[in-house]
């Protein structure tokens, strides 16, 4: 290529592609990656990546932004603050929720969230359609139309009074998703068990934040994962199990995948790096770490890493769900709430990649470095892009969007409460990690450099999606659904 024809050349870094890890230059023209190789010609702009890792920008497919929670509380971030924080943490694409509550019209909800994102988002984004009002208008009209318009994933809660769907509603949603080409994402916990335990604990005076962990028994997750898998297998509709927290939950998924059920699953940094003991703090401090499902045990952490290694879990998302430690968030029910009254969720967009990088890459023996760099890219960028059908995202490849994070692998960082979101605290405060994404690029343009954001609110693009391979049913019909085996009844 003639001199100066590239817009940008990232020179001399360790480039992580799906094919392997190599010392190479990477060139960008316009918004796309156009070359990866040795001694590439000059660019109009050059970045020296000597001693740096060049990785795909992260894809975070589970974050709650500017959203009314399951408990009815508005979260702390706007699209601007959340996506700014994502960018500083090396993430260049998010999938957040267009969150319907009861009585809301789904089409209006999507329009409203898209307008908020268009005004504030600094990085590219897509939406999951969160359905909490599966009435005839939603099921027969709005949901099919919105899926076909490019919002190719649907989210349901099996718990939380305000947003929970009943079993028969879940079946409706699975079927509509099958007919129109969407993946169904599920918060899987048994509502009755949580309610029963929560009420008994509070009635007996066990009200401190740490009892939140006790009030969400592992059995609640295990039962709900079993149930949603049974339904998914029955309807033959692919599902994504959100935020798996227990070894047994991962086992149930492994068994289902083993018999050919089309199930995907994710876990999150707080299940990999925290335990229920992190909620056991003086006074109400443990409220910072209240999220659902709760953190579990060290042995679950080991099982979740193993499940990632085995491919039973494919994705590490943040489940960013930010609430401030004040009356707007965690303490919206007053200054002395019981654990049931404290908003569920914590910030995660900015810390997701640095925490996982530290664990997988910085702490790995030298001989495992390349393998672990590829796993890091796979679990945090490539797999979510593939599963949610963002074909230009999540990998460094010719023709892909030039969404790139350049990491300093030896930068030591002690985590403080200073993040770029609007939550005011960092659940991982005090931890020392190594490695940081120092330069972040979206579609060829600098997003973050030298600790500064170079982006305007609203510059992120809404990405509409096709019905990708993850949304396609297997074609194996349950006997009661199959007209060849159900006396000819046509049910799909
Ligand atoms: O506790 C959490 N993670 N709250 C956010 C809502 C959800 O369950 O995904
Ligand atoms: Zn959830
Ligand atoms: Zn969530």
């Amino acid at each position: 290529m003639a001199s100066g024809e590239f817009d940008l050349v990232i020179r001399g870094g360790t480039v992580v592609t799906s094919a392997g890890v190599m010392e190479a230059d990477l060139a960008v023209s316009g918004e796309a990656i156009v070359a990866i190789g040795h001694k590439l010609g000059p660019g109009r702009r050059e970045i020296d990546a000597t001693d740096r890792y060049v990785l795909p920008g992260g894809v975070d497919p589970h974050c709650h932004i500017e959203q009314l929670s399951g408990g009815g509380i508005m979260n702390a971030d706007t699209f601007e603050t959340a996506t700014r924080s994502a960018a500083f943490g090396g993430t260049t694409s998010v999938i957040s929720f267009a969150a319907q509550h009861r009585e809301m019209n789904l089409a209006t909800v999507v329009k409203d969230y898209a307008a908020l994102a268009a005004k504030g988002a600094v990085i590219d984004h897509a939406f999951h359609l969160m359905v909490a009002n599966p009435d005839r208008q939603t099921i027969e009209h709005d949901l099919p139309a919105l899926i076909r318009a490019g919002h190719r994933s649907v989210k349901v809660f099996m718990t939380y009074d305000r947003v929970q769907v009943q079993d028969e509603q879940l079946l409706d949603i699975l079927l509509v998703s099958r007919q129109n080409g969407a993946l169904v994402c599920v918060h899987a916990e048994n509502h009755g068990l949580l309610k029963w335990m929560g009420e008994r604990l509070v009635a007996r005076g066990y009200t401190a934040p740490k009892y939140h962990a006790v009030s969400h028994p592992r059995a609640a997750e295990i039962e709900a994962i079993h149930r949603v898998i049974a339904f998914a297998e029955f309807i033959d509709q692919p599902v994504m199990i959100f935020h798996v927290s227990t070894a047994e939950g991962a086992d149930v998924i492994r068994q289902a995948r083993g018999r050919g059920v089309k199930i995907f699953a994710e876990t999150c940094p707080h299940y990999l790096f925290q335990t229920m003991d992190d909620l056991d703090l003086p006074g109400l401090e443990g409220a910072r770490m209240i999220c659902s499902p709760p953190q579990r045990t060290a042995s679950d952490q080991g099982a979740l890493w193993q499940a990632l290694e085995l491919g039973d879990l494919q994705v590490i998302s943040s489940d960013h769900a930010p609430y401030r430690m004040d009356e707007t968030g965690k303490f919206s029910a007053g200054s002395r709430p019981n654990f049931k009254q404290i908003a569920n969720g914590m910030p995660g967009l900015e810390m997701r990649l640095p925490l996982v990088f530290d664990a997988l890459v910085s702490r790995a023996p030298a001989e495992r470095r390349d393998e672990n760099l590829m796993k890091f890219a796979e679990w945090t960028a490539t797999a979510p892009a593939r599963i949610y059908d963002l074909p230009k995202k999540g990998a460094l490849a010719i023709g892909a969007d030039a969404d790139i994070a350049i990491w300093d692998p030896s930068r030591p960082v002690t985590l403080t409460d200073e993040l770029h979101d609007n939550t005011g605290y960092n659940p991982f405060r005090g931890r020392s990690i190594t490695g940081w994404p120092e330069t972040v690029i979206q579609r060829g343009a600098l997003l973050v450099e030298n600790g500064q954001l170079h982006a305007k609110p609203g510059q992120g693009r809404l990405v509409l999606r096709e019905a990708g391979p993850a949304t396609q049913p297997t074609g194996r019909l349950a006997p009661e659904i199959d007209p060849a085996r159900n006396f000819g009844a046509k049910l799909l």
Side-chain angles (χ1 to χ4, degrees), residues 55-63 86 89-96 123-126 128 266-267 314-319 349 352-353 376-395 401 403-405 442 463 465:
L55 279 146
V59 177
D60 192 337
H62 182 172
C63 30
T91 286
T92 47
S93 304
V94 290
I95 311 181
S96 63
I123 64 173
D124 291 353
H125 48 275
H128 301 295
E266 55 155 49
T267 191
Q314 302 81 37
V315 171
I316 304 175
S317 76
S318 70
D319 195 5
L349 269 168
R352 177 183 72 122
L353 295 180
F376 172 75
E378 170 69 15
W379 297 338
T380 62
T382 315
R386 183 172 62 243
I387 291 169
Y388 292 105
D389 208 57
L390 298 165
K392 294 197 161 188
K393 304 295 188 189
D401 281 354
D403 291 356
I404 299 164
Q442 174 128 70
V463 185
R465 296 171 284 143

Side-chain angles (χ1 to χ4, degrees), residues 62 64 155 157 160 187 243 290-292 319 321 344-345:
H62 182 172
H64 303 264
K155 156 79 183 291
F157 281 101
Y160 291 121
H187 177 124
H243 46 48
I290 285 189
C291 64
S292 291
D319 195 5
N344 284 203

Side-chain angles (χ1 to χ4, degrees), residues 279-472:
L279 277 78
D280 188 6
L281 296 176
L284 290 168
E285 281 298 291
R288 294 166 191 272
M289 261 61 88
I290 285 189
C291 64
S292 291
Q295 300 84 343
R296 307 288 182 178
T297 67
S299 140
D300 290 293
Q301 292 176 347
L304 295 173
W305 281 115
Q306 190 189 27
L308 284 160
E309 296 280 348
L310 291 171
D312 301 317
L313 309 183
Q314 302 81 37
V315 171
I316 304 175
S317 76
S318 70
D319 195 5
H320 178 83
Y323 300 97
R324 295 181 67 81
M325 286 285 280
D326 63 23
E327 70 287 351
T328 67
K330 294 282 183 182
F331 304 125
S332 60
S335 58
R336 298 181 59 202
N338 68 52
F339 67 81
K340 272 162 58 70
Q341 297 168 312
I342 296 172
N344 284 203
M346 49 190 195
L349 269 168
E350 190 163 340
M351 290 316 310
R352 177 183 72 122
L353 295 180
L355 286 164
V356 178
F357 183 95
D358 173 66
L360 260 184
V361 181
S362 306
R363 291 175 197 258
E367 67 274 13
R368 298 281 299 276
R369 183 203 71 164
D370 288 6
E371 187 191 334
N372 282 12
L373 274 166
M374 290 182 69
K375 285 178 190 165
F376 172 75
E378 170 69 15
W379 297 338
T380 62
T382 315
R386 183 172 62 243
I387 291 169
Y388 292 105
D389 208 57
L390 298 165
K392 294 197 161 188
K393 304 295 188 189
L396 301 182
I398 309 302
D401 281 354
D403 291 356
I404 299 164
I406 304 174
W407 287 70
D408 177 352
S410 45
R411 178 153 144 202
V413 182
T414 298
L415 304 181
T416 68
D417 279 332
E418 302 300 313
L419 294 176
H420 296 85
D421 64 16
N422 198 27
T423 322
Y425 73 90
N426 180 346
F428 300 96
R429 176 179 72 193
R431 207 171 271 255
S432 292
I433 62 172
T434 305
W436 199 262
E438 61 180 14
T439 304
V440 184
I441 293 164
Q442 174 128 70
R443 288 183 273 104
L446 270 182
L447 263 181
V448 175
E449 189 185 42
N450 298 326
Q452 299 296 315
L453 186 71
H454 298 265
K456 289 197 185 64
Q459 77 172 44
R461 280 189 198 149
L462 172 64
V463 185
L464 297 174
R465 296 171 284 143
E466 304 288 331
T471 68
Q472 305 301 318

